[in-house]
Amino acid sequence: MSTLSVFGSQWGDEGKGKIIDLLAGRADVVCRYQGGANAGHTVVVDGEKFVLHLLPSGVLQEGKVNLIGNGVALDPIVLLEEMDGLAERGIVIDPERLRLSAAAHVILEVHQRLDHAFERWRGEGRIGTTGRGIGPAYADKASRTGLRVGDLVSPERLRARLEAFLPVKNAILERVCEAEPFDLEELFERYVAVGERLRPFVADAGHELRELWRANKRILFEGAQGAMLDIDHGTYPYVTSSNTGAAGIAPGMGFPPSAIGEVWGVAKAYCTRVGEGPFPSEIFGDDAERLRALGNEYGATTGRPRRCGWFDTVAVRYALELNGATGLVMTNLDVLSGYERIPVVTHYDLPSLGQRGLTRFPAELADLGEVDVRVEERPGWNEDISGVREFSDLPEAAREYVRWIEGEIGVPIVLLSVGPERESIIPRVSGTLVGA
Ligand code: GDP
Ligand code: IMO
Ligand code: MG
């Protein structure tokens, strides 16, 4: 197997960063193909914690090629800050290790200001975005008014693009949003310097990836966000602005869809969501506080407390089906230690439509907001399992929890994660990128 795609199969923050970092140890290339600095991917190596927003989670393993594809909405200031932060910790990223697509769209401060202004405007209907300018930048891409990395690294093109772009944005900021406009010269000066620093990293990333693939290199695709935040298939409009699953790889990297091999979803042994929108298996009050405290469920990008809930087999099965997943990685199993019984959502009821016992995720947001969930309580365990490395060493109830969910979702659970550290992993299959 030469390619493996790993995507979030809930509402983001499933632990993708940790898994990609681990798998990268046995890969040659790691690609980010969509999303932007709305992502916060946490990797813990030797007790040191790293939160990556734009850099692929292969950067902490030595000697890997990391590619940022054209489908990423790239905030060049965040990228440079991230690289500087790593350099201060002794990890220097040179242009051989990081290749940046010239066709990736650039997020400017203008997009962030618009993101905040639009959220204010939405009022009660706000999405709860990360404020990183994601929506406005992808909107510019679709409207064909955006700036790309190739423009950023050429002062003439940058000026020309800004001259075309800024007057409209300033008019919207001032006249519609009652927000501060930007000065073209100031913006130009700031981004020319940024472009100058990034120039050595800029490449035809799609071409380089296809060459690496032809040379039989092992390629990992790192999804950001999660299936339920997918712009087409998620809980629209409470979603992000890109295709978050394996389907985003071909357009987002310039990689043939027919070459996308193994596809693994990542899901927590329970579920979380940040931001607004429906979350059928959500729990509240003391139950939510307990799970949030046990899982330390605070956003890696914004620090917001995450909404918490139980594993939802209806939603995860939908995510896996949509992506043609061949495996599931279950994370945070350790967090459930100490629960006497663990509720799992198995069915939705939609009383207003007279539908009961649904096992299929409703397509309409209005329906989703109204579902009543049915839960089945599974037996829990008391032991601390964070030191376990073999499936057979898990308490029987934990093994049973995993096997039972596996039966419900119809996809093998290939890896179990039992802690934030790279080593805290229990493999269930061999012969994969992780295998022996
Ligand atoms: P991502 O966005 O999918 O990469 O996930 P985040 O990094 O936003 O959130 C996952 C959080 O869970 C981070 O704080 C990780 O360090 C942590 N984490 C990952 N896997 C495990 C696990 O198996 N057990 C525990 N307790 N924490 C984990
Ligand atoms: P990772 O890759 C969790 C959520 C935001 C908001 C919605 C839209 O770390 O799993 P946006 O800024 O994208 O316009 O916000 O999407 N969101 C995430 N939630 N994890 C993420 O990324 C997210 N990226 C965006 O909270 O609800
Ligand atoms: Mg995250």
Side-chain angles (χ1 to χ4, degrees):
M1 176 186 55
S2 60
T3 79
L4 170 62
S5 150
V6 174
F7 71 95
S9 44
Q10 293 166 323
W11 276 273
D13 302 331
E14 298 90 348
K16 300 173 293 291
K18 177 211 153 134
I19 300 303
I20 290 284
D21 163 72
L22 170 79
L23 296 173
R26 288 176 180 272
D28 302 302
V29 184
V30 183
C31 308
R32 269 284 307 269
Y33 55 92
Q34 48 70 232
N38 47 352
H41 294 180
T42 313
V43 179
V44 183
V45 187
D46 297 331
E48 258 200 86
K49 178 171 158 178
F50 301 86
V51 180
L52 303 167
H53 300 288
L54 278 166
L55 287 169
S57 300
V59 290
L60 301 174
Q61 298 271 11
E62 285 192 20
K64 311 298 171 187
V65 178
N66 292 277
L67 297 175
I68 297 183
N70 59 279
V72 168
L74 186 112
D75 184 328
I77 293 179
V78 174
L79 180 64
L80 287 172
E81 277 170 8
E82 219 170 303
M83 288 163 68
D84 290 345
L86 286 184
E88 276 169 25
R89 298 167 78 173
I91 300 163
V92 177
I93 302 199
D94 59 40
E96 282 192 7
R97 270 176 87 179
L98 178 69
R99 315 295 292 148
L100 195 58
S101 170
H105 275 252
V106 175
I107 294 192
L108 303 169
E109 284 169 46
V110 183
H111 294 114
Q112 291 167 4
R113 197 169 291 175
L114 287 167
D115 194 359
H116 287 290
F118 291 158
E119 278 285 85
R120 274 201 304 278
W121 233 29
R122 289 183 191 114
E124 287 292 295
R126 71 185 181 282
I127 296 165
T129 72
T130 59
R132 297 301 185 105
I134 301 295
Y138 277 117
D140 273 336
K141 175 178 177 176
S143 304
R144 292 146 297 169
T145 44
L147 277 74
R148 310 208 296 182
V149 167
D151 301 320
L152 185 69
V153 298
S154 151
E156 302 77 49
R157 286 216 299 277
L158 175 62
R159 179 175 285 285
R161 295 299 291 155
L162 280 179
E163 279 171 357
F165 165 96
L166 200 59
V168 184
K169 299 299 175 206
N170 274 343
I172 296 171
L173 280 168
E174 274 189 299
R175 293 189 220 153
V176 182
C177 305
E178 294 173 358
E180 282 291 300
F182 285 86
D183 179 74
L184 192 138
E185 288 308 321
E186 270 177 37
L187 213 58
F188 176 73
E189 290 302 322
R190 187 151 63 251
Y191 283 97
V192 148
V194 165
E196 190 65 34
R197 279 194 65 194
L198 284 181
R199 191 175 301 124
F201 298 89
V202 177
D204 182 344
H207 170 73
E208 292 189 5
L209 175 63
R210 294 189 298 274
E211 293 274 285
L212 289 161
W213 175 62
R214 269 195 290 273
N216 268 332
K217 298 295 179 195
R218 290 163 300 179
I219 298 161
L220 265 179
F221 296 103
E222 176 177 9
Q225 291 79 53
M228 303 301 169
L229 292 171
D230 184 282
I231 182 142
D232 287 288
H233 305 287
T235 52
Y236 191 92
Y238 300 99
V239 293
T240 190
S241 303
S242 61
N243 287 120
T244 56
I249 295 172
M253 282 314 301
F255 192 69
S258 56
I260 296 163
E262 200 88 3
V263 178
W264 289 357
V266 185
K268 282 175 177 150
Y270 49 95
C271 193
T272 61
R273 174 168 201 169
V274 204
E276 307 301 321
F279 179 7
S281 71
E282 184 167 16
I283 53 176
F284 302 91
D286 291 348
D287 289 348
E289 287 297 332
R290 179 179 177 196
L291 194 49
R292 186 175 301 118
L294 286 169
N296 191 25
E297 294 296 354
Y298 295 88
T301 296
T302 57
R304 289 179 287 178
R306 293 178 181 146
R307 297 159 65 189
C308 293
W310 300 118
F311 192 92
D312 180 342
T313 61
V314 180
V316 172
R317 199 165 40 236
Y318 168 62
L320 298 175
E321 184 187 301
L322 194 62
N323 284 279
T326 51
L328 180 77
V329 178
M330 180 183 274
T331 58
N332 293 46
L333 187 64
D334 54 302
V335 173
L336 295 181
S337 288
Y339 278 93
E340 199 177 328
R341 310 206 52 89
I342 308 168
V344 178
V345 169
T346 57
H347 298 86
Y348 294 171
D349 289 334
L350 256 173
S352 58
L353 296 183
Q355 296 177 347
R356 304 203 173 270
L358 292 179
T359 51
R360 191 170 67 83
F361 199 72
E364 276 298 314
L365 181 83
D367 298 341
L368 198 54
E370 283 184 19
V371 295
D372 293 333
V373 296
R374 290 195 203 172
V375 298
E376 180 163 332
E377 293 199 336
R378 306 300 305 168
W381 59 92
N382 272 320
E383 297 88 332
D384 174 2
I385 59 169
S386 55
V388 175
R389 299 291 175 265
E390 299 276 344
F391 190 66
S392 55
D393 292 339
L394 282 173
E396 175 53 25
R399 275 181 285 159
E400 196 39 44
Y401 185 74
V402 172
R403 286 200 206 100
W404 184 82
I405 286 185
E406 199 165 47
E408 290 290 307
I409 59 174
V411 163
I413 295 181
V414 287
L415 288 177
L416 295 169
S417 175
V418 288
E421 285 274 344
R422 188 185 274 168
E423 291 74 28
S424 309
I425 201 85
I426 303 177
R428 286 193 74 217
V429 288
S430 54
T432 63
L433 283 170
V434 200

